[in-house]
Amino acid sequence: EDEQIVAEIMGRRFFPDLITHKTWEGFHFAGHEIRITEATDCYGAVVWPSALVLCYFLETNSKQCNLIDKNVIEIGAGTGLVSIVASLLGAFVTATDLPELLGNLQHNVLQNTKQKCKHQPCVKELSWGVDLEKNFPRSSCHFDYIMAADVVYYHPFLDELLLTFDHLCKNDTVILWAMKFRLEKENQFVDRFQTLFDLEMISNFPSLNIALYKAMRKGRMKA
């Protein structure tokens, strides 16, 4: 079953017939052909398999996870694929990442959502743990969903990442988080994450070493 679903997920990706001066990959999600421009010089500018897993979940579970008119923020949006799919599914999306990635992120989001979405998504800088209250004040920012794909990997900002989840998450916010396990650090982060949030694995793909989680603040999952 794992291999069958993984084949379906990976089958959503296609490549250009002709090589052009810009490197791009294509994806079929939410009834649209999505073209993503990549850059190979940094982690955040390529599409990782975790993003495909999360997009596939959003599309195939659109009834239980109805995004229409929901307020969604994606952290570590990278090339923007998850944000684009959430937008095409009717959400009002804020796609965030580091300042050096915003140009490519904005290009992809605009190219794939303009005049195709109920709500035009916005792109905003978010450096984990930095100026959170200034840029995303608790009093006025309320997100129904926080989405994250492959934000935990070998980097020194895991404390800041946890702080960012904590700041953005209200009592009724749902976190959807796809994660590829590579090193022991990832397991340690999951343990620390669970001190603040209840965590439920909703999909697991051993052949990709990727798990998809749903999380809410402690004590809120059953409520």
Side-chain angles (χ1 to χ4, degrees):
E1 187 182 2
D2 168 51
E3 290 178 1
Q4 187 178 345
I5 297 175
V6 166
E8 162 68 14
I9 293 171
M10 294 305 158
R12 300 301 186 92
R13 171 186 263 154
F14 68 93
F15 297 93
D17 295 327
L18 299 171
I19 302 300
T20 61
H21 69 287
K22 274 197 172 182
T23 304
W24 62 270
E25 284 186 73
F27 303 88
H28 293 291
F29 284 110
H32 288 79
E33 182 180 289
I34 300 166
R35 293 191 178 193
I36 296 292
T37 301
E38 297 187 326
T40 55
D41 57 349
C42 55
Y43 283 123
V46 295
V47 178
W48 299 103
S50 293
L52 302 190
V53 166
L54 183 47
C55 289
Y56 181 81
F57 172 82
L58 295 176
E59 180 187 83
T60 56
N61 293 272
S62 57
K63 287 187 177 175
Q64 77 173 80
C65 180
N66 185 351
L67 295 183
I68 295 172
D69 297 332
K70 296 296 193 298
N71 204 11
V72 171
I73 186 168
E74 185 186 5
I75 62 174
T79 58
L81 181 62
V82 172
S83 287
I84 291 163
V85 171
S87 297
L88 293 170
L89 291 170
F92 182 82
V93 177
T94 303
T96 71
D97 215 312
L98 296 168
E100 59 266 29
L101 297 174
L102 295 188
N104 189 55
L105 175 57
Q106 178 74 63
H107 167 78
N108 285 329
V109 166
L110 195 61
Q111 175 177 268
N112 290 287
T113 62
K114 193 174 182 182
Q115 297 181 325
K116 297 177 184 177
C117 296
K118 186 174 183 182
H119 308 288
Q120 186 60 40
C122 68
V123 171
K124 192 169 179 179
E125 177 186 340
L126 173 53
S127 300
W128 297 337
V130 178
D131 292 332
L132 293 174
E133 182 58 31
K134 176 184 172 186
N135 295 325
F136 299 90
R138 286 179 189 268
S139 59
S140 58
C141 286
H142 183 284
F143 298 105
D144 299 295
Y145 290 93
I146 299 169
M147 295 186 185
D150 235 0
V151 292
V152 181
Y153 48 88
Y154 187 71
H155 61 69
F157 303 110
L158 295 179
D159 290 342
E160 291 83 354
L161 175 59
L162 189 59
L163 185 67
T164 301
F165 274 125
D166 185 41
H167 180 85
L168 296 173
C169 191
K170 295 283 201 293
N171 277 344
D172 57 348
T173 302
V174 174
I175 298 170
L176 293 174
W177 168 27
M179 174 171 165
K180 183 177 179 71
F181 288 84
R182 302 180 182 87
L183 302 161
E184 183 56 32
K185 263 196 161 186
E186 277 100 30
N187 295 308
Q188 293 171 7
F189 182 81
V190 171
D191 292 340
R192 293 184 55 212
F193 185 87
Q194 289 184 97
T195 63
L196 297 176
F197 303 100
D198 288 323
L199 196 62
E200 174 190 349
M201 184 186 291
I202 51 179
S203 296
N204 187 30
F205 302 100
S207 62
L208 295 174
N209 214 18
I210 290 173
L212 177 61
Y213 295 106
K214 173 185 175 183
M216 293 186 78
R217 280 208 177 277
K218 279 282 187 188
R220 297 295 303 176
M221 193 80 90
K222 290 182 176 62

